[in-house]
Amino acid sequence: MLNDPRELCARANSIRRRNLIMLNHAGLGHTGGDLSATDILATLYFSILNIDPQVPDKADRDRFILSKGHCSGVLYTTLAEAGFIPLAELDTFMQPLSRLNGHPNRNKVPGVETNTGALGHGLPVAIGTALAAKFDDATWRTFVLTGDGELQEGSNWEAAMAAAHYKLDDLVLIIDRNRLQQGDATERTMHLEPLADKWRAFGWSVREVDGHDHAVLLGTFRSVPFELGKPSCVIAHTYKGQGVSFIRDRAEWHHRVPSKDELTIALEELGDNGHDPAL
Amino acid sequence: MTINPSRYHQLLPEVVQMLDAPDFFTRTKSIATRFSYAEAVLELAERNSRIVVLDADVSKSINTNKFADKYPDREFNFGIAEQNMMAAAAGMATTGLIPFASTYAVFASLRALDQVRNSIHYPHLNVKIAASHSGITPGPDGVTHQAQEDLSIMRSLATSTVIATADAPSTKLATYAAADWDGPVYLSFTRDPVPVLFDINYPFQIGKMVLLRDGNDATIIANRDIVAHALVAAEKLAQEGFDIRVIDCHTLKPLDVETILQAARETGAIVTAENNIIFGGLGSAVAETLVENYPIPMQRIGVQDTFAESGPYLQVIDKYGLTSPHIVRAVKRVIERKKSGR
């Protein structure tokens, strides 16, 4: 468990570098959404979640559910960085018959909790795991990461009601609020605001944070549940493509991946922080 | 001509005796199979502490409210939100619970199909989907509640197990078997009462058809509520000198291919009979098997390309051609085709 935000920052940087190399190698993937969620995943996997890469299915592990399954890239690179899968396997991302599919599969990849890809599934599945933990009087928690555009799926709001109804205070929803969906801004596509008020109205305890500030993320995740008897909602304000100037905050990078030249520039921008000399 | 009981198997003696009665369906003891499911899951809960029941507001209709009364901590009501219920069932199953998610078949197979496919079947999670009001068994409720395509839809999902039992005791046995089955199971029940044909010693096994009547002139393969109508049809045909085999195909998937091919070889003509749309259900499954292995004359009884009207259950299924007079005609036609080689 890392306690120093600077160490988390280095981890996140390493995940970003591996991710961009992987996406360039595959020629496929979701660059923008991977990079917006990287700091959230780095903080969860290296400082928050009770997990063991040696025993990925241990019964009392904290559950992390990636609802925005198209951002499997950041999940795989984080799982590799954390030791769940070999780093070398990242070269097989989206290759024929690889287990690292475009959307994650719990029966193929250790550490993956759910088969996501159809948006609006992660939070409802998380209702089930959180209810099960309560049923078993267990202490493990469920963290679920959704996109923001994804919240246009109605199933999320069915789950939002159920979480408050069942007082699931061991459930933490993190919204990757990068304000962009596949083709355009969320607010031009289908209004989500006032987002925090909506979750509060549904009975959640809500905090809005900078989704790229590791110290803030660490402090936020360490203080869940925000209120006893209520599910916690973290609206993480992020930028799609965070970390690389020409990718950041641009809708066209939803499903675009870096070319070889773009990768070179991107890696220069990110800088080698010395965390992994192999890179 | 009197009924020859030695031709029949597994049926209660009193049921065999009544098969030629014009008022068979009003005289027989009848139970809606949704209630048998509710009883069975209550019994299962005593034996297995991992079994939980999920509801979506209709527990009073399915009788799972009795489960909720006895095990308030093991019943979860999701309100009118079937998508959330199915996905939450998947989440519970990842932790080793065995959720029985109960709702109406239209909602289980249509409203929540995305969750049933992607969050339950794709990861092969141990969720049991308990679907009442399957087929056109909710007569008066009309089309929005008549799940005339649920079995076709569920059969088309990869790795699915799909069960449509004929009566109350076999429904209880199917519910017990589903709890022991590794992976998702879709159980379909009737809204309306259907005749109790068997007792609890019925040899129910997932994926294994059951012979109900011997016969070599043709075979009727039926499922769920149409099994009783197939038996009445077979007895009518017996009175006219036809000797008809009747098989209960309670498991639509995995399909008992061996028993179908044996019937094809031994009787040379097959009629399927189901309370489900003609596309993709029992008739389709049997036809696919025959055409690839042993093509013989075949007729299908099922809902044609139409939505149904609303009305009393038996009256509605008669209007859409699912009752014994229609089955009798189909059997005669298929025997004719067998004889003439068409």
Side-chain angles (χ1 to χ4, degrees), chain B residues 142-191:
Chain B
V143 172
T144 55
H145 285 58
Q146 293 166 344
Q148 60 182 15
E149 59 286 270
D150 67 325
L151 299 181
S152 312
I153 292 166
M154 293 309 302
R155 176 177 167 252
S156 72
L157 296 185
T159 74
S160 62
T161 294
V162 185
I163 294 176
T165 37
D167 78 337
S170 60
T171 297
K172 290 184 86 169
L173 293 165
T175 307
Y176 305 152
D180 291 334
W181 187 261
D182 177 26
V185 177
Y186 184 84
L187 296 161
S188 83
F189 315 121
T190 66
R191 174 200 181 273

Short mmCIF file of all heavy atoms in Angstrom, two decimals, chain B residues 142-191:
data_model
loop_
_atom_site.label_atom_id
_atom_site.label_comp_id
_atom_site.label_asym_id
_atom_site.label_seq_id
_atom_site.Cartn_x
_atom_site.Cartn_y
_atom_site.Cartn_z
N GLY B 142 -53.66 -9.64 -21.70
CA GLY B 142 -53.35 -9.10 -23.01
C GLY B 142 -51.87 -9.19 -23.37
O GLY B 142 -51.04 -9.71 -22.62
N VAL B 143 -51.57 -8.62 -24.55
CA VAL B 143 -50.28 -8.84 -25.21
C VAL B 143 -49.09 -8.39 -24.37
O VAL B 143 -48.05 -9.05 -24.35
CB VAL B 143 -50.28 -8.12 -26.58
CG1 VAL B 143 -48.90 -8.15 -27.21
CG2 VAL B 143 -51.30 -8.79 -27.50
N THR B 144 -49.20 -7.27 -23.66
CA THR B 144 -48.04 -6.77 -22.91
C THR B 144 -47.59 -7.75 -21.84
O THR B 144 -46.45 -7.71 -21.40
CB THR B 144 -48.35 -5.43 -22.21
OG1 THR B 144 -49.52 -5.60 -21.40
CG2 THR B 144 -48.58 -4.33 -23.24
N HIS B 145 -48.49 -8.63 -21.42
CA HIS B 145 -48.15 -9.60 -20.38
C HIS B 145 -48.05 -11.03 -20.92
O HIS B 145 -47.77 -11.95 -20.16
CB HIS B 145 -49.16 -9.53 -19.24
CG HIS B 145 -48.96 -8.33 -18.37
ND1 HIS B 145 -49.00 -7.05 -18.87
CD2 HIS B 145 -48.69 -8.21 -17.05
CE1 HIS B 145 -48.78 -6.20 -17.88
NE2 HIS B 145 -48.58 -6.87 -16.77
N GLN B 146 -48.30 -11.22 -22.19
CA GLN B 146 -48.23 -12.56 -22.77
C GLN B 146 -46.84 -12.78 -23.36
O GLN B 146 -46.50 -12.22 -24.40
CB GLN B 146 -49.30 -12.72 -23.86
CG GLN B 146 -50.72 -12.68 -23.30
CD GLN B 146 -51.78 -12.51 -24.36
OE1 GLN B 146 -51.48 -12.13 -25.49
NE2 GLN B 146 -53.03 -12.79 -24.01
N ALA B 147 -46.04 -13.60 -22.69
CA ALA B 147 -44.65 -13.79 -23.13
C ALA B 147 -44.61 -14.91 -24.17
O ALA B 147 -44.10 -15.98 -23.91
CB ALA B 147 -43.77 -14.13 -21.94
N GLN B 148 -45.13 -14.63 -25.35
CA GLN B 148 -45.25 -15.71 -26.32
C GLN B 148 -43.92 -16.03 -27.02
O GLN B 148 -43.86 -16.96 -27.80
CB GLN B 148 -46.32 -15.37 -27.37
CG GLN B 148 -46.02 -14.11 -28.16
CD GLN B 148 -47.12 -13.81 -29.15
OE1 GLN B 148 -48.22 -14.36 -29.07
NE2 GLN B 148 -46.84 -12.94 -30.12
N GLU B 149 -42.88 -15.27 -26.72
CA GLU B 149 -41.58 -15.53 -27.35
C GLU B 149 -40.45 -15.75 -26.36
O GLU B 149 -39.30 -15.86 -26.73
CB GLU B 149 -41.21 -14.42 -28.33
CG GLU B 149 -41.11 -13.01 -27.76
CD GLU B 149 -42.46 -12.37 -27.45
OE1 GLU B 149 -43.05 -11.70 -28.32
OE2 GLU B 149 -42.91 -12.54 -26.29
N ASP B 150 -40.78 -15.84 -25.06
CA ASP B 150 -39.69 -15.92 -24.07
C ASP B 150 -38.81 -17.15 -24.26
O ASP B 150 -37.59 -17.07 -24.13
CB ASP B 150 -40.23 -15.84 -22.64
CG ASP B 150 -41.06 -17.04 -22.22
OD1 ASP B 150 -41.79 -17.58 -23.08
OD2 ASP B 150 -41.01 -17.42 -21.04
N LEU B 151 -39.42 -18.29 -24.60
CA LEU B 151 -38.61 -19.51 -24.73
C LEU B 151 -37.69 -19.42 -25.94
O LEU B 151 -36.55 -19.88 -25.90
CB LEU B 151 -39.51 -20.74 -24.82
CG LEU B 151 -40.42 -20.98 -23.59
CD1 LEU B 151 -41.26 -22.24 -23.79
CD2 LEU B 151 -39.60 -21.10 -22.31
N SER B 152 -38.18 -18.81 -27.03
CA SER B 152 -37.33 -18.64 -28.22
C SER B 152 -36.14 -17.75 -27.90
O SER B 152 -35.01 -18.04 -28.28
CB SER B 152 -38.13 -17.99 -29.36
OG SER B 152 -39.36 -18.62 -29.55
N ILE B 153 -36.42 -16.64 -27.22
CA ILE B 153 -35.35 -15.70 -26.89
C ILE B 153 -34.32 -16.36 -25.98
O ILE B 153 -33.12 -16.30 -26.24
CB ILE B 153 -35.94 -14.45 -26.20
CG1 ILE B 153 -36.78 -13.65 -27.18
CG2 ILE B 153 -34.84 -13.58 -25.60
CD1 ILE B 153 -37.67 -12.61 -26.52
N MET B 154 -34.80 -17.01 -24.94
CA MET B 154 -33.86 -17.59 -23.98
C MET B 154 -33.07 -18.74 -24.60
O MET B 154 -31.90 -18.93 -24.30
CB MET B 154 -34.63 -18.08 -22.74
CG MET B 154 -35.23 -16.97 -21.92
SD MET B 154 -34.06 -15.65 -21.50
CE MET B 154 -32.81 -16.59 -20.62
N ARG B 155 -33.71 -19.48 -25.50
CA ARG B 155 -33.01 -20.58 -26.16
C ARG B 155 -31.87 -20.06 -27.03
O ARG B 155 -30.84 -20.73 -27.21
CB ARG B 155 -34.02 -21.36 -27.01
CG ARG B 155 -33.41 -22.47 -27.81
CD ARG B 155 -34.45 -23.27 -28.58
NE ARG B 155 -33.75 -24.11 -29.54
CZ ARG B 155 -33.74 -23.91 -30.84
NH1 ARG B 155 -34.45 -22.95 -31.38
NH2 ARG B 155 -33.04 -24.69 -31.63
N SER B 156 -32.03 -18.85 -27.56
CA SER B 156 -31.02 -18.32 -28.48
C SER B 156 -29.77 -17.81 -27.76
O SER B 156 -28.76 -17.53 -28.41
CB SER B 156 -31.62 -17.19 -29.33
OG SER B 156 -31.81 -16.03 -28.54
N LEU B 157 -29.82 -17.70 -26.44
CA LEU B 157 -28.64 -17.23 -25.72
C LEU B 157 -27.64 -18.38 -25.57
O LEU B 157 -28.02 -19.48 -25.14
CB LEU B 157 -29.01 -16.72 -24.32
CG LEU B 157 -29.92 -15.50 -24.25
CD1 LEU B 157 -30.10 -15.07 -22.79
CD2 LEU B 157 -29.38 -14.35 -25.07
N ALA B 158 -26.39 -18.11 -25.88
CA ALA B 158 -25.36 -19.14 -25.75
C ALA B 158 -25.28 -19.62 -24.31
O ALA B 158 -25.38 -18.81 -23.38
CB ALA B 158 -24.01 -18.59 -26.18
N THR B 159 -25.14 -20.91 -24.14
CA THR B 159 -24.98 -21.61 -22.84
C THR B 159 -26.22 -21.59 -21.96
O THR B 159 -26.16 -22.00 -20.81
CB THR B 159 -23.80 -21.06 -21.99
OG1 THR B 159 -24.17 -19.78 -21.43
CG2 THR B 159 -22.52 -20.90 -22.80
N SER B 160 -27.35 -21.14 -22.48
CA SER B 160 -28.55 -21.08 -21.64
C SER B 160 -29.12 -22.47 -21.38
O SER B 160 -28.91 -23.40 -22.16
CB SER B 160 -29.62 -20.22 -22.30
OG SER B 160 -30.03 -20.77 -23.53
N THR B 161 -29.83 -22.58 -20.25
CA THR B 161 -30.62 -23.76 -19.93
C THR B 161 -32.06 -23.29 -19.76
O THR B 161 -32.30 -22.35 -18.99
CB THR B 161 -30.09 -24.43 -18.65
OG1 THR B 161 -28.78 -24.94 -18.92
CG2 THR B 161 -30.99 -25.57 -18.21
N VAL B 162 -32.98 -23.90 -20.51
CA VAL B 162 -34.34 -23.36 -20.59
C VAL B 162 -35.34 -24.47 -20.27
O VAL B 162 -35.34 -25.51 -20.92
CB VAL B 162 -34.62 -22.79 -21.99
CG1 VAL B 162 -35.99 -22.13 -22.03
CG2 VAL B 162 -33.54 -21.80 -22.40
N ILE B 163 -36.17 -24.21 -19.27
CA ILE B 163 -37.08 -25.25 -18.78
C ILE B 163 -38.53 -24.75 -18.79
O ILE B 163 -38.81 -23.61 -18.39
CB ILE B 163 -36.66 -25.69 -17.36
CG1 ILE B 163 -35.28 -26.37 -17.46
CG2 ILE B 163 -37.68 -26.63 -16.74
CD1 ILE B 163 -34.68 -26.77 -16.14
N ALA B 164 -39.42 -25.62 -19.27
CA ALA B 164 -40.85 -25.28 -19.33
C ALA B 164 -41.64 -26.51 -18.92
O ALA B 164 -41.95 -27.37 -19.74
CB ALA B 164 -41.23 -24.84 -20.74
N THR B 165 -41.95 -26.59 -17.63
CA THR B 165 -42.57 -27.79 -17.08
C THR B 165 -44.09 -27.78 -17.24
O THR B 165 -44.72 -26.73 -17.29
CB THR B 165 -42.21 -27.93 -15.59
OG1 THR B 165 -42.20 -26.62 -15.01
CG2 THR B 165 -40.87 -28.57 -15.43
N ALA B 166 -44.65 -28.99 -17.24
CA ALA B 166 -46.06 -29.17 -17.60
C ALA B 166 -47.02 -28.94 -16.44
O ALA B 166 -48.17 -28.58 -16.67
CB ALA B 166 -46.27 -30.57 -18.17
N ASP B 167 -46.57 -29.21 -15.23
CA ASP B 167 -47.54 -29.17 -14.13
C ASP B 167 -46.85 -28.81 -12.81
O ASP B 167 -45.65 -28.50 -12.80
CB ASP B 167 -48.26 -30.53 -14.01
CG ASP B 167 -47.42 -31.59 -13.32
OD1 ASP B 167 -46.18 -31.45 -13.33
OD2 ASP B 167 -48.00 -32.53 -12.76
N ALA B 168 -47.63 -28.85 -11.74
CA ALA B 168 -47.13 -28.39 -10.45
C ALA B 168 -45.99 -29.26 -9.90
O ALA B 168 -44.92 -28.74 -9.57
CB ALA B 168 -48.29 -28.30 -9.45
N PRO B 169 -46.17 -30.59 -9.80
CA PRO B 169 -45.05 -31.39 -9.23
C PRO B 169 -43.78 -31.31 -10.08
O PRO B 169 -42.68 -31.19 -9.52
CB PRO B 169 -45.61 -32.82 -9.21
CG PRO B 169 -47.09 -32.64 -9.16
CD PRO B 169 -47.38 -31.41 -9.97
N SER B 170 -43.90 -31.35 -11.39
CA SER B 170 -42.67 -31.29 -12.20
C SER B 170 -42.02 -29.92 -12.11
O SER B 170 -40.80 -29.78 -12.24
CB SER B 170 -42.93 -31.71 -13.66
OG SER B 170 -43.87 -30.87 -14.28
N THR B 171 -42.81 -28.89 -11.84
CA THR B 171 -42.23 -27.56 -11.64
C THR B 171 -41.41 -27.51 -10.35
O THR B 171 -40.34 -26.91 -10.30
CB THR B 171 -43.35 -26.50 -11.61
OG1 THR B 171 -43.99 -26.49 -12.88
CG2 THR B 171 -42.81 -25.11 -11.31
N LYS B 172 -41.93 -28.17 -9.31
CA LYS B 172 -41.15 -28.22 -8.07
C LYS B 172 -39.84 -28.97 -8.29
O LYS B 172 -38.77 -28.52 -7.86
CB LYS B 172 -41.96 -28.90 -6.95
CG LYS B 172 -43.14 -28.06 -6.48
CD LYS B 172 -43.88 -28.70 -5.32
CE LYS B 172 -43.23 -28.34 -4.01
NZ LYS B 172 -44.08 -28.71 -2.84
N LEU B 173 -39.92 -30.07 -9.01
CA LEU B 173 -38.71 -30.86 -9.28
C LEU B 173 -37.71 -30.06 -10.11
O LEU B 173 -36.50 -30.13 -9.89
CB LEU B 173 -39.09 -32.18 -9.99
CG LEU B 173 -39.90 -33.15 -9.13
CD1 LEU B 173 -40.54 -34.23 -10.01
CD2 LEU B 173 -39.02 -33.79 -8.05
N ALA B 174 -38.23 -29.30 -11.07
CA ALA B 174 -37.35 -28.47 -11.91
C ALA B 174 -36.68 -27.39 -11.07
O ALA B 174 -35.50 -27.07 -11.29
CB ALA B 174 -38.16 -27.83 -13.04
N THR B 175 -37.40 -26.84 -10.12
CA THR B 175 -36.83 -25.81 -9.26
C THR B 175 -35.71 -26.39 -8.39
O THR B 175 -34.64 -25.79 -8.25
CB THR B 175 -37.93 -25.17 -8.39
OG1 THR B 175 -38.99 -24.72 -9.25
CG2 THR B 175 -37.40 -23.98 -7.60
N TYR B 176 -35.94 -27.59 -7.85
CA TYR B 176 -34.88 -28.25 -7.07
C TYR B 176 -33.66 -28.49 -7.98
O TYR B 176 -32.52 -28.26 -7.57
CB TYR B 176 -35.31 -29.62 -6.53
CG TYR B 176 -36.57 -29.65 -5.70
CD1 TYR B 176 -37.35 -30.81 -5.64
CD2 TYR B 176 -36.98 -28.55 -4.94
CE1 TYR B 176 -38.50 -30.87 -4.88
CE2 TYR B 176 -38.13 -28.61 -4.17
CZ TYR B 176 -38.90 -29.77 -4.16
OH TYR B 176 -40.05 -29.83 -3.41
N ALA B 177 -33.92 -28.99 -9.18
CA ALA B 177 -32.82 -29.32 -10.10
C ALA B 177 -32.04 -28.07 -10.50
O ALA B 177 -30.82 -28.10 -10.64
CB ALA B 177 -33.37 -30.04 -11.34
N ALA B 178 -32.76 -26.97 -10.68
CA ALA B 178 -32.10 -25.72 -11.07
C ALA B 178 -31.13 -25.27 -9.99
O ALA B 178 -30.04 -24.75 -10.28
CB ALA B 178 -33.15 -24.64 -11.33
N ALA B 179 -31.53 -25.47 -8.72
CA ALA B 179 -30.66 -25.05 -7.61
C ALA B 179 -29.35 -25.83 -7.62
O ALA B 179 -28.30 -25.31 -7.23
CB ALA B 179 -31.39 -25.24 -6.28
N ASP B 180 -29.39 -27.07 -8.08
CA ASP B 180 -28.19 -27.91 -8.11
C ASP B 180 -27.38 -27.74 -9.39
O ASP B 180 -26.27 -28.24 -9.50
CB ASP B 180 -28.57 -29.40 -7.99
CG ASP B 180 -29.11 -29.72 -6.61
OD1 ASP B 180 -28.74 -29.00 -5.66
OD2 ASP B 180 -29.89 -30.69 -6.48
N TRP B 181 -27.95 -27.06 -10.38
CA TRP B 181 -27.32 -26.91 -11.70
C TRP B 181 -26.28 -25.80 -11.63
O TRP B 181 -26.53 -24.75 -11.03
CB TRP B 181 -28.42 -26.56 -12.71
CG TRP B 181 -28.02 -26.51 -14.15
CD1 TRP B 181 -27.73 -25.39 -14.87
CD2 TRP B 181 -27.93 -27.61 -15.06
NE1 TRP B 181 -27.46 -25.73 -16.18
CE2 TRP B 181 -27.56 -27.08 -16.32
CE3 TRP B 181 -28.11 -29.00 -14.94
CZ2 TRP B 181 -27.38 -27.89 -17.46
CZ3 TRP B 181 -27.93 -29.80 -16.06
CH2 TRP B 181 -27.57 -29.25 -17.29
N ASP B 182 -25.13 -26.03 -12.23
CA ASP B 182 -24.08 -25.02 -12.20
C ASP B 182 -24.27 -24.06 -13.38
O ASP B 182 -24.03 -24.42 -14.52
CB ASP B 182 -22.71 -25.71 -12.29
CG ASP B 182 -21.58 -24.69 -12.34
OD1 ASP B 182 -21.76 -23.56 -11.82
OD2 ASP B 182 -20.53 -25.01 -12.91
N GLY B 183 -24.72 -22.86 -13.09
CA GLY B 183 -24.90 -21.86 -14.14
C GLY B 183 -26.33 -21.38 -14.24
O GLY B 183 -27.21 -21.85 -13.50
N PRO B 184 -26.57 -20.44 -15.14
CA PRO B 184 -27.90 -19.87 -15.23
C PRO B 184 -28.95 -20.87 -15.73
O PRO B 184 -28.65 -21.71 -16.58
CB PRO B 184 -27.74 -18.72 -16.25
CG PRO B 184 -26.41 -18.89 -16.88
CD PRO B 184 -25.59 -19.81 -16.05
N VAL B 185 -30.15 -20.76 -15.16
CA VAL B 185 -31.28 -21.59 -15.60
C VAL B 185 -32.49 -20.68 -15.73
O VAL B 185 -32.74 -19.84 -14.85
CB VAL B 185 -31.60 -22.72 -14.60
CG1 VAL B 185 -32.82 -23.52 -15.05
CG2 VAL B 185 -30.41 -23.65 -14.41
N TYR B 186 -33.21 -20.80 -16.83
CA TYR B 186 -34.47 -20.07 -17.02
C TYR B 186 -35.61 -21.04 -16.77
O TYR B 186 -35.75 -22.05 -17.47
CB TYR B 186 -34.54 -19.52 -18.44
CG TYR B 186 -35.76 -18.66 -18.73
CD1 TYR B 186 -35.77 -17.30 -18.40
CD2 TYR B 186 -36.89 -19.20 -19.34
CE1 TYR B 186 -36.87 -16.51 -18.67
CE2 TYR B 186 -38.00 -18.41 -19.61
CZ TYR B 186 -37.99 -17.06 -19.28
OH TYR B 186 -39.08 -16.27 -19.55
N LEU B 187 -36.43 -20.74 -15.76
CA LEU B 187 -37.59 -21.57 -15.43
C LEU B 187 -38.84 -20.81 -15.83
O LEU B 187 -39.01 -19.65 -15.41
CB LEU B 187 -37.63 -21.85 -13.93
CG LEU B 187 -36.48 -22.65 -13.33
CD1 LEU B 187 -36.42 -22.42 -11.82
CD2 LEU B 187 -36.66 -24.14 -13.62
N SER B 188 -39.72 -21.42 -16.61
CA SER B 188 -40.93 -20.69 -17.01
C SER B 188 -42.17 -21.33 -16.39
O SER B 188 -42.26 -22.55 -16.30
CB SER B 188 -41.05 -20.66 -18.54
OG SER B 188 -41.63 -21.85 -19.03
N PHE B 189 -43.07 -20.47 -15.94
CA PHE B 189 -44.26 -20.94 -15.24
C PHE B 189 -45.53 -20.38 -15.87
O PHE B 189 -45.50 -19.37 -16.57
CB PHE B 189 -44.22 -20.50 -13.77
CG PHE B 189 -42.90 -20.71 -13.12
CD1 PHE B 189 -42.20 -19.65 -12.56
CD2 PHE B 189 -42.33 -21.97 -13.07
CE1 PHE B 189 -40.97 -19.83 -11.98
CE2 PHE B 189 -41.09 -22.17 -12.48
CZ PHE B 189 -40.41 -21.10 -11.94
N THR B 190 -46.64 -21.04 -15.54
CA THR B 190 -47.93 -20.57 -16.05
C THR B 190 -48.55 -19.59 -15.06
O THR B 190 -48.39 -19.71 -13.85
CB THR B 190 -48.91 -21.74 -16.24
OG1 THR B 190 -49.23 -22.30 -14.96
CG2 THR B 190 -48.31 -22.82 -17.12
N ARG B 191 -49.27 -18.62 -15.62
CA ARG B 191 -50.07 -17.75 -14.76
C ARG B 191 -51.31 -18.49 -14.30
O ARG B 191 -51.68 -18.44 -13.14
CB ARG B 191 -50.50 -16.49 -15.52
CG ARG B 191 -51.46 -15.60 -14.73
CD ARG B 191 -52.24 -14.66 -15.64
NE ARG B 191 -53.13 -13.80 -14.90
CZ ARG B 191 -54.37 -14.13 -14.55
NH1 ARG B 191 -54.85 -15.33 -14.86
NH2 ARG B 191 -55.14 -13.29 -13.89
#
